[in-house]
Amino acid sequence: MNTPRLELITTAPGVRIAAARQGAGPAVLLSPGLGMPSGTWQFSGLPDALVESGCSMITYTARGLKPSSAPPAPYSVAQMADDAAAVLAHFGVDEAVLVGYSMGCYITQALVSTWPGRVRGVAMVAGLRSSAIGELVNEMELNLIDRLGTVPDTVVAFEQLMTTLDPSMLTDDATVRGWRQMTEGSQTPWASDDGLRGQLTASHAWMTAGEPTVERLAAIDAPTLVIAYQNDVFFPPAGSREAARHLPRGEFHVLDGQAHGGLMLDPHRRATALLVDFCRRVHQPVG
């Protein structure tokens, strides 16, 4: 499949968001997690699978990450949802399935409540109800930025390893050393230190405000798919299951044998299969 052409879309004064659309069918918007470049979706196989199923797939890189803008911090989830709405408007989309991963679930929930278009369905993967660990990690990173101006590479590597990988992978020294080398050897995805601080402040503010509230969840009246991973310490299945009970039209799945990075690391791509099936179902005409 050809790489979609990136477009830089002005979403607010001084803010441009890199986005791309591929395919000609019903629209599916993919909202990324914290620090997640849009190209990371390819590791899940989801973009290709959506286009092959007849959907039109829209990806974007959230404010703070290259090649999008990094306006001065702090950011808010509401601002990031406004960016996503502007991306949809740019591509002329007035109805869509909204899909979020990790912090992208926060953006998706905020977008549902403000976007004037028709939400055909909502899907949230590894990101419905955050844990105390998630709050602590955000707080730790913000404190390091306040003291050092950035988050040291070794801290980034340790945090990603401990939360992304399944425990069985963490006990294998060769795997850990390989991931550490890959993480520390890669170029930073952040457009500036403001980008990192901005996304962290948005995430931390959302979690400490008790989001998502019961009222927010109850107001999502579109069909909603929630996927959690058995060993996800950021978004444990128990918390997400409890939150999903408040969705009027929700369905909930727990996938075993994976942690927070399961969307990209699951060799069976179970979440991708569930997401593609969900998009097909909600886009089917009624009657």
Side-chain angles (χ1 to χ4, degrees):
M1 181 175 294
N2 295 329
T3 302
R5 181 175 65 90
L6 281 179
E7 301 184 40
L8 287 174
I9 301 164
T10 299
T11 62
V15 181
R16 294 201 301 173
I17 299 297
R21 183 175 189 177
Q22 194 166 5
V28 180
L29 176 72
L30 305 183
S31 289
L34 193 153
M36 177 180 168
S38 62
T40 305
W41 289 104
Q42 294 295 340
F43 292 100
S44 71
L46 182 60
D48 289 355
L50 285 171
V51 173
E52 290 168 4
S53 74
C55 290
S56 168
M57 180 272 304
I58 299 171
T59 57
Y60 67 96
T61 298
R63 61 168 65 196
L65 290 167
K66 304 171 186 176
S68 295
S69 302
Y75 307 160
S76 69
V77 170
Q79 287 174 322
M80 299 175 81
D82 288 344
D83 290 340
V87 168
L88 289 170
H90 172 82
F91 289 114
V93 173
D94 56 12
E95 66 175 41
V97 176
L98 307 179
V99 178
Y101 167 71
S102 194
M103 192 175 78
C105 297
Y106 307 167
I107 297 169
T108 296
Q109 292 166 47
L111 186 59
V112 168
S113 64
T114 58
W115 185 49
R118 180 185 179 190
V119 179
R120 296 297 298 262
V122 176
M124 293 178 278
V125 182
L128 181 54
R129 174 73 73 190
S130 62
S131 66
I133 288 291
E135 292 180 24
L136 182 60
V137 168
N138 275 187
E139 185 176 346
M140 172 190 70
E141 292 180 334
L142 286 169
N143 287 341
L144 286 170
I145 292 174
D146 288 340
R147 294 183 181 187
L148 305 176
T150 189
V151 179
D153 289 346
T154 51
V155 175
V156 173
F158 178 77
E159 178 258 307
Q160 289 186 353
L161 283 167
M162 293 300 294
T163 57
T164 302
L165 302 185
D166 184 78
S168 63
M169 301 176 73
L170 290 171
T171 58
D172 182 83
D173 288 348
T175 297
V176 170
R177 291 191 179 103
W179 271 81
R180 176 180 178 179
Q181 183 177 19
M182 179 178 63
T183 302
E184 293 184 338
S186 60
Q187 291 187 341
T188 177
W190 299 104
S192 72
D193 288 339
D194 264 318
L196 172 57
R197 184 193 294 269
Q199 287 203 13
L200 284 171
T201 52
S203 174
H204 191 250
W206 179 271
M207 290 189 287
T208 55
E211 292 282 6
T213 64
V214 170
E215 292 76 16
R216 185 184 294 279
L217 294 170
I220 301 176
D221 58 4
T224 306
L225 171 69
V226 178
I227 299 173
Y229 288 101
Q230 177 187 16
N231 298 316
D232 189 343
V233 297
F234 273 171
F235 300 91
S240 292
R241 186 190 302 275
E242 190 281 328
R245 292 193 303 107
H246 302 289
L247 295 164
R249 303 173 66 186
E251 59 178 278
F252 180 75
H253 298 265
V254 177
L255 303 182
D256 61 10
Q258 293 291 328
H260 190 61
L263 179 62
M264 288 69 182
L265 299 180
D266 182 1
H268 305 294
R269 291 183 170 176
R270 290 167 293 174
T272 291
L274 288 169
L275 288 164
V276 171
D277 176 70
F278 176 75
C279 290
R280 282 176 176 153
R281 284 188 280 125
V282 299
H283 275 309
Q284 287 178 349
V286 178

